[in-house]
């Protein structure tokens, strides 16, 4: 009768050409290899029940979804927090910003104190205490 240790040994012997993870960390591929080794080495007189197989596949599916969600969430938080924190340092500071005329031919520089920063579909919008707003790309001076 085979055991979990036999299945793990089978995984390690067939996986010698690929890179190993550090420590006792197992990934999606390791989980599937373990499941396949378990199915190959099961006792013919006492085979794995359908419900056990389905439960293991459901566990694998949940693991994969959690891993994908964790990766997506980490990417989102990394992008959001870096940019938003960077621009939040402008709050309370006096900025000079470029204002382009409606015809697009002339520009002038105005000043204001930053009240808040928000992100929208066009970029980072800086709200000023004078009631005006500008995008961060038009800021030319911070004091």
């Amino acid at each position: 009768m085979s055991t979990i240790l036999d299945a793990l040994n089978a995984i390690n012997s067939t996986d010698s050409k690929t890179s190993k993870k550090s420590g006792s960390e197992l990934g999606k591929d390791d989980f599937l290899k373990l499941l396949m080794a378990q199915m190959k080495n099961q006792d013919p007189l006492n085979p794995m029940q359908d419900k056990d197989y389905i439960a293991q596949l459901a566990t694998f599916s949940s693991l994969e979804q959690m891993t994908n969600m964790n990766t997506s969430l980490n990417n989102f938080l990394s992008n959001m927090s870096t940019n938003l924190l960077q621009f939040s340092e402008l709050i309370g500071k006096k900025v000079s910003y470029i204002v382009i005329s409606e015809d697009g031919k002339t520009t002038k520089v105005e000043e204001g104190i930053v009240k808040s920063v928000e992100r929208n579909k066009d970029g980072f919008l800086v709200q000023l205490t004078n009631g005006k707003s500008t995008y961060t790309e038009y800021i030319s001076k911070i004091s």
Side-chain angles (χ1 to χ4, degrees):
M1 184 172 355
S2 65
T3 64
I4 298 286
L5 291 176
D6 293 334
L8 286 173
N9 288 334
I11 289 171
N12 288 334
S13 65
T14 60
D15 197 28
S16 61
K17 293 182 181 176
T18 61
S19 64
K20 302 279 184 186
K21 292 183 177 61
S22 62
S24 61
E25 183 179 327
L26 293 176
K28 295 187 291 188
D29 293 337
D30 297 323
F31 185 86
L32 279 177
K33 287 178 184 178
L34 181 61
L35 182 61
M36 293 305 297
Q38 185 179 8
M39 290 179 70
K40 283 182 192 176
N41 299 313
Q42 64 183 327
D43 183 4
L45 300 175
N46 187 16
M48 185 166 57
Q49 300 295 317
D50 290 343
K51 63 182 178 182
D52 296 333
Y53 177 69
I54 292 170
Q56 288 183 356
L57 285 178
T59 302
F60 172 72
S61 179
S62 296
L63 170 70
E64 185 174 24
Q65 290 301 318
M66 284 189 293
T67 302
N68 293 341
M69 187 169 49
N70 187 33
T71 301
S72 297
L73 186 60
N74 282 337
N75 290 339
F76 174 75
L77 290 175
S78 176
N79 290 334
M80 282 300 292
S81 64
T82 301
N83 292 332
L84 199 54
L85 286 175
Q86 176 186 0
F87 293 122
S88 70
E89 293 178 4
L90 295 174
I91 296 174
K93 296 191 177 171
K94 184 177 179 182
V95 295
S96 299
Y97 58 98
I98 300 169
V99 178
I100 302 172
S101 65
E102 288 185 23
D103 62 6
K105 294 182 180 177
T106 60
T107 61
K108 65 180 179 175
V109 176
E110 292 186 6
E111 293 181 341
I113 296 175
V114 177
K115 179 172 73 172
S116 67
V117 180
E118 67 180 67
R119 182 178 185 176
N120 63 25
K121 64 181 176 137
D122 297 322
F124 289 93
L125 185 65
V126 176
Q127 300 290 335
L128 305 169
T129 56
N130 61 8
K132 297 183 179 181
S133 62
T134 186
Y135 285 97
T136 54
E137 63 232 27
Y138 297 115
I139 294 176
S140 59
K141 182 180 177 183
I142 303 168
S143 52

